[in-house]
């Protein structure tokens, strides 16, 4: 062989080795920073150091690896939205894969995992998250005070072992022991627990701020010791985030909070109790909560089970205007902040202006934005406020940038929540919903009480199966699939009605949502109705099977404050604000009462010419008064 050939071989070999060394340098292990799986000691500092190193060396580090094992993370100091209460609190990560190596992340107390901002192209994969001790307790009522201001629970053994008394209980609920979910019309109480104490090793007493007369002995009660404290993921101002092959078995708050994210994917993510545990609960609040997110959002092949609020909620927040400081400057306020955050908009982004009926009539570009105390924000626009702007009733909304949300091939089983879409461009297909307490799917927007929106459109629900959903009457709207919009504008409602509704809104009598298709679905079994349709135009409902609905219609406890409504008796309720509804080729059957037809109820406020009812089987179309409480209030006022 010639000398020149030897030289080339040596150079090629050295180049290959150099490339291999560079490739190996792109991966770091948390073990190199002191994490030791399986020793029971706190691994927080070691994991933090690994992420800090990756943030400082983005060109070098492309992967963080967890050698397989159990990693322990102990509760830190500080408030829930401060760095000490998160294992990782980090900005400016990029082009990084976090591979858990099929490890377990075991959380002690109320500690949270990943709080990340201003990052891009991150993939989290191959790990499970669970708590050392359950964040909830469960037992049967064995004693009730005569004034109903305290009651005793006999705790089940695994919960009695980890309770000392003094734990917070922001919410307690009556549940069905077989499913772990709420009982139809049962006790569900927020923010009334004054003090807790352990009376005997397995008897737990709740002292309340007021009476709860609905309590009774032998009732099974679930105590949620945390509801919105901490979380697993909180990611803001980032793009191209992927979660895959992850199991989140428990969470003391919302499992995944995303704010101002661009492009997000959940693939084979399981929000469910660990198979080997006896815990019936998983996530204390929402599973996926997305505020002002855009681009493409994908949920594929995921499992949701045992969660206690929305399985998926995507929205853009509404802001009420408190003051006008200049022709182009305002102070806005967000009345409700579940996620604990104030507006995240930045200069150069747009905000939309909406009237009280959610009609979008103008947009403006932010010139400057400044946070103020008490959830207030000062916003200066590049242009003057619209001439039509009504400070008392109109709202500002983050401009929605969602290109497409796709949820497919996923299972929702034994959850309290729903899929809630308050943004446009949505596809839900080939999913299964079993025993979900609230509605399975809801297109919604709400000024009161949540201030979450906005108007939705270009939505398709197809080839989904929903079995035994809506068992608690779906809140105020008793059905399995909902299209709703609630306004806080009381100019259309008498005082008597506003008192009846308390802080809840009223259905908007104009179209808010636009272009919706519901096709080829099966709604099989429900204590309530199949669909409630309101405040929308260009709605097509075709080729669906409605089966065994309103199963508990004789004993059903109707939604609170709405005792006169009989919507749970209807297979379909067409309430108000509907334009161009096509309902065709649908079938309704009742296996227990084959002769009973499903009621297709059309409200008196709906123009019959806007409802195209054709080629349906097993339905009876009925015109009826759907808002008797409004009629009664109006007659009282007269």
């Amino acid at each position: 062989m010639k000398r020149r050939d030897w030289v080339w071989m040596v150079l090629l070999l050295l180049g290959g080795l150099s490339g291999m060394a560079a490739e190996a340098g792109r991966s770091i292990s948390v073990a190199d920073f002191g994490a030791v799986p399986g020793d029971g000691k706190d691994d927080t500092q070691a994991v933090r150091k690994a992420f800090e190193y990756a943030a400082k060396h983005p060109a070098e580090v492309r992967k963080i690896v967890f050698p397989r094992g159990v990693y322990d993370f102990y509760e830190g100091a500080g408030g829930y939205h401060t760095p000490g209460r998160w294992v990782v609190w980090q900005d400016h990560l990029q082009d990084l894969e976090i591979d858990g190596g099929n490890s377990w992340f075991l959380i002690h107390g109320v500690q949270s995992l990943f709080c990340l901002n201003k990052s891009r192209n991150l993939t989290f994969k191959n790990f499970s998250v669970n708590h050392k001790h359950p964040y909830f307790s469960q037992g049967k009522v064995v004693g009730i005070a005569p004034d109903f201001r305290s009651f005793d629970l006999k705790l089940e053994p695994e919960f009695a072992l980890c309770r000392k008394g003094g734990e917070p209980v922001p919410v307690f609920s009556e549940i069905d022991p077989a499913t772990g979910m709420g009982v139809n019309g049962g006790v569900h109480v927020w923010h009334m627990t004054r003090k807790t104490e352990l009376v005997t090793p397995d008897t737990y007493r709740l002292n309340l701020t007021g009476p709860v007369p609905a309590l009774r002995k032998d009732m099974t009660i679930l105590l949620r010791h945390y509801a919105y404290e901490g979380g697993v993921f909180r990611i803001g101002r980032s793009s191209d985030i992927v979660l895959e092959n992850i199991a989140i078995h428990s969470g003391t708050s919302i499992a995944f909070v995303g704010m101002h994210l661009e492009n997000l994917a959940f693939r084979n993510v399981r929000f469910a109790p660990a198979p080997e545990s006896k815990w019936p609960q998983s996530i204390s609040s929402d599973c996926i909560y997305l505020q002002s997110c855009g681009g493409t959002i994908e949920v594929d092949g995921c499992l949701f089970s045992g969660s206690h609020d929305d399985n998926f909620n995507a929205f853009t927040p509404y802001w009420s205007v408190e003051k006008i400081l200049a022709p182009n400057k305002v102070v806005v306020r967000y009345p409700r902040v579940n996620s604990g955050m104030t507006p995240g908009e930045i200069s150069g982004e747009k905000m939309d202006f909406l009237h009280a009926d959610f009609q979008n009539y103008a947009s403006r570009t932010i010139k400057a934005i400044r946070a103020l105390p008490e959830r207030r924000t000062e916003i200066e626009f590049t242009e003057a406020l619209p001439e039509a702007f009504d400070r008392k009733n109109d709202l500002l909304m983050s401009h929605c940038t969602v290109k497409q949300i796709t949820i497919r091939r996923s299972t929702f089983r034994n959850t309290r929540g729903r899929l809630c879409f308050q943004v446009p461009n949505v596809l839900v297909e080939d999913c299964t919903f079993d025993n979900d307490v609230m509605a399975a799917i809801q297109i919604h927007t709400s000024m009161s009480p949540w201030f979450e929106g906005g108007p939705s459109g270009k939505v398709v629900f197809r080839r989904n199966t929903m079995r035994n959903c809506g068992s608690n009457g779906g809140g105020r709207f008793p059905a399995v699939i909902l299209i709703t919009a609630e306004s806080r504008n009381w100019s259309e409602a008498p005082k008597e009605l506003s008192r009846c509704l308390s802080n809840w809104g009223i259905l908007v009598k104009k179209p808010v949502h636009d272009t919706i298709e519901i096709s080829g679905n099966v709604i099989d079994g429900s204590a309530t109705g199949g669909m409630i349709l309101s405040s929308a135009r260009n709605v097509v409902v075709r080729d669906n099977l409605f089966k065994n609905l309103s199963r508990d219609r004789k004993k059903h406890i109707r939604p609170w404050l709405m005792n006169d409504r009989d919507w749970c008796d209807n297979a379909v309720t067409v309430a108000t604000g509907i334009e161009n509804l096509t309902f065709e080729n649908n079938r309704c059957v009742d296996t227990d009462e084959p002769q009973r037809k499903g009621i297709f109820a059309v409200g008196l406020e709906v123009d019959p010419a806007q409802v195209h009812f054709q080629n349906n089987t097993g339905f009876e179309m009925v015109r009826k008064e759907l808002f008797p409480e409004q009629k009664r209030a109006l007659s009282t006022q007269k």
Side-chain angles (χ1 to χ4, degrees):
M1 184 177 291
K2 294 182 180 180
R3 183 174 182 273
R4 183 179 59 185
D5 296 330
W6 279 103
V7 171
W8 278 110
M9 288 184 65
V10 171
L11 289 174
L12 286 170
L13 180 60
L14 290 173
L17 290 173
S18 175
M20 290 173 63
E23 186 67 28
R26 292 174 175 233
S27 177
I28 61 173
S29 171
V30 295
D32 297 334
F33 295 85
V36 179
D39 66 351
K41 296 180 180 179
D42 192 355
D43 294 299
T44 298
Q45 293 303 321
V47 172
R48 282 180 184 169
K49 289 176 182 177
F51 277 81
E52 289 169 0
Y53 185 89
K56 292 177 181 178
H57 303 86
E60 173 191 347
V61 180
R62 289 290 182 265
K63 189 173 185 179
I64 296 177
V65 175
F66 288 75
R68 187 172 183 178
V70 177
Y71 293 84
D72 295 271
F73 302 111
Y74 287 78
E75 184 173 316
Y80 294 117
H81 303 294
T82 59
R85 295 303 284 270
W86 293 83
V87 174
V88 176
W89 179 290
Q90 188 66 57
D91 294 350
H92 303 296
L93 293 170
Q94 63 185 50
D95 304 322
L96 186 64
E97 179 180 294
I98 296 91
D99 189 341
N102 296 319
S103 295
W104 278 74
F105 297 166
L106 192 60
I107 298 174
H108 301 251
V110 188
Q111 183 71 331
S112 305
L113 281 180
F114 301 108
C115 185
L116 311 174
N117 285 284
K118 301 175 183 176
S119 299
R120 62 177 174 84
N121 194 20
L122 305 180
T123 298
F124 296 83
K125 61 193 296 185
N126 303 332
F127 60 83
S128 300
V129 180
N130 208 350
H131 282 71
K132 176 70 173 178
H133 300 293
Y135 67 84
F136 59 91
S137 300
Q138 186 172 305
K140 285 194 173 183
V141 176
V142 293
I144 305 170
D147 60 0
F148 294 98
R149 288 176 176 265
S150 70
F151 66 97
D152 291 347
L153 283 183
K154 184 176 179 58
L155 296 177
E156 296 174 7
E158 63 182 292
F159 306 114
L161 289 173
C162 54
R163 295 294 165 244
K164 299 179 180 178
E167 294 87 358
V169 179
V171 56
F172 60 88
S173 310
E174 179 186 3
I175 64 167
D176 179 351
T179 64
M181 290 294 113
V183 170
N184 179 16
V187 172
H188 185 67
V189 178
W190 280 87
H191 306 306
M192 282 188 64
T193 303
R194 179 172 55 84
K195 184 178 71 171
T196 61
E197 51 187 320
L198 195 64
V199 180
T200 71
D202 63 354
T203 305
Y204 200 74
R205 178 170 295 166
L206 275 74
N207 298 286
L208 310 176
T209 58
V212 180
L215 288 166
R216 66 179 186 275
K217 283 190 176 181
D218 295 324
M219 176 185 286
T220 300
I221 294 287
L222 173 77
L223 311 178
R224 288 157 64 188
H225 296 290
Y226 305 97
Y228 294 110
E229 292 81 11
V232 181
F233 288 89
R234 180 184 295 272
I235 304 179
R237 280 291 165 194
S238 300
S239 63
D240 302 301
I241 308 298
V242 176
L243 277 67
E244 62 183 32
N245 194 29
I246 292 174
I248 302 177
H249 295 306
S250 64
T252 57
S253 180
I254 302 170
F256 185 99
V257 174
M259 293 170 288
H260 298 275
L261 303 184
E262 189 82 8
N263 303 330
L264 175 65
F266 300 83
R267 299 170 186 146
N268 190 30
V269 177
R270 301 174 300 285
F271 303 88
E276 65 275 9
S277 88
K278 296 180 180 179
W279 300 2
Q281 323 299 330
S282 60
I283 310 304
S284 182
S285 186
D286 298 19
C287 292
I288 300 173
Y289 176 95
L290 304 179
Q291 173 182 318
S292 303
C293 294
T296 59
I297 299 167
E298 171 194 349
V299 177
D300 194 350
C302 296
L303 170 64
F304 300 75
S305 179
S307 55
H308 270 271
D309 213 323
D310 295 332
N311 293 311
F312 183 99
N313 183 6
F315 68 96
T316 47
Y318 293 126
W319 316 97
S320 60
V321 177
E322 199 168 76
K323 294 180 182 179
I324 298 177
L325 301 179
N328 67 332
K329 185 185 292 187
V330 296
V331 173
V332 301
R333 185 172 186 271
Y334 190 19
R336 302 284 300 234
V337 186
N338 284 349
S339 65
M341 301 295 282
T342 51
E345 283 66 28
I346 59 177
S347 58
E349 293 184 336
K350 288 186 176 182
M351 298 195 82
D352 296 335
F353 288 74
L354 291 83
H355 290 312
D357 59 3
F358 301 106
Q359 305 305 310
N360 188 330
Y361 66 91
S363 296
R364 292 291 185 268
T365 301
I366 298 173
K367 180 179 180 181
I369 186 166
R370 181 169 67 96
L372 303 175
E374 298 180 350
R375 300 199 300 266
R376 291 172 170 82
T377 302
E378 181 184 283
I379 303 176
E380 181 181 1
F381 297 103
T382 57
E383 305 168 73
L385 300 173
E387 290 185 9
F389 178 62
D390 176 0
R391 187 195 69 78
K392 291 184 179 181
N393 289 306
D394 287 3
L395 295 174
L396 271 66
M397 181 183 80
S398 307
H399 185 71
C400 182
T401 60
V402 170
K403 293 179 181 178
Q404 183 65 50
I405 294 177
T406 302
I407 300 179
R408 57 164 56 100
R409 296 186 294 265
S410 295
T411 299
F412 305 84
R413 182 175 62 229
N414 290 340
T415 74
R416 183 177 172 267
R418 62 198 162 160
L419 304 184
C420 188
F421 302 106
Q422 305 181 90
V423 293
N425 305 320
V426 175
L427 170 63
V428 180
E429 63 181 5
D430 303 317
C431 293
T432 301
F433 302 79
D434 283 310
N435 300 312
D436 295 317
V437 172
M438 295 172 66
I441 299 173
Q442 183 171 13
I443 298 171
H444 191 49
T445 192
S446 170
M447 283 191 199
S448 177
W450 304 114
F451 276 72
E452 294 177 357
S456 186
K458 297 182 180 178
V459 177
V460 177
F461 302 149
R462 66 189 180 200
R463 302 192 304 270
N464 303 290
T465 299
M466 290 149 272
R467 292 183 287 255
N468 300 316
C469 296
S471 64
N472 77 337
R476 300 171 314 290
F477 304 119
V480 177
I481 295 179
L482 307 173
I483 303 175
T484 51
E486 292 180 281
S487 172
R488 66 171 181 177
N489 187 351
W490 297 112
S491 61
E492 301 178 13
K495 291 181 179 179
E496 288 78 4
L497 177 59
S498 65
R499 284 198 296 268
C500 170
L501 289 168
S502 184
N503 67 334
W504 299 100
I506 56 174
L507 288 173
V508 179
K509 299 180 181 180
K510 297 179 181 179
V512 174
H513 312 296
D514 194 351
T515 311
I516 298 163
E517 175 190 330
I518 305 173
S519 62
N521 302 284
V522 175
I523 303 176
D524 184 358
S526 177
T528 58
M531 295 182 187
I532 293 175
L533 311 175
S534 73
S535 312
R537 64 165 59 88
N538 301 322
V539 180
V540 176
V541 182
R542 64 161 60 99
D543 300 324
N544 300 283
L545 172 62
F546 298 75
K547 183 178 179 182
N548 296 335
L549 302 179
S550 305
R551 306 309 291 168
D552 297 329
R553 65 188 188 280
K554 293 181 179 178
K555 63 178 182 179
H556 183 70
I557 301 174
R558 293 192 172 92
W560 59 90
L561 304 177
M562 299 296 176
N563 295 322
D564 292 345
R565 293 186 184 178
D566 60 357
W567 295 11
C568 59
D569 297 339
N570 304 327
V572 179
T573 300
V574 183
T576 188
I578 286 291
E579 290 183 6
N580 192 25
L581 164 64
T582 298
F583 191 88
E584 63 183 9
N585 300 327
N586 299 287
R587 190 160 58 100
C588 187
V589 298
D590 191 310
T591 56
D592 292 336
E593 302 177 56
Q595 302 305 314
R596 186 169 78 95
K597 292 184 177 294
I599 298 174
F600 183 88
V602 180
L604 300 181
E605 297 178 357
V606 177
D607 180 358
Q610 298 295 328
V611 179
H612 313 291
F613 183 87
Q614 54 203 25
N615 300 325
N616 300 291
T617 304
F619 287 94
E620 178 184 1
M621 187 175 183
V622 177
R623 293 274 288 174
K624 62 194 301 188
E625 175 60 66
L626 295 176
F627 300 95
E629 78 285 349
Q630 293 188 25
K631 185 176 181 180
R632 185 181 65 254
L634 286 169
S635 63
T636 302
Q637 192 179 49
K638 290 178 182 179

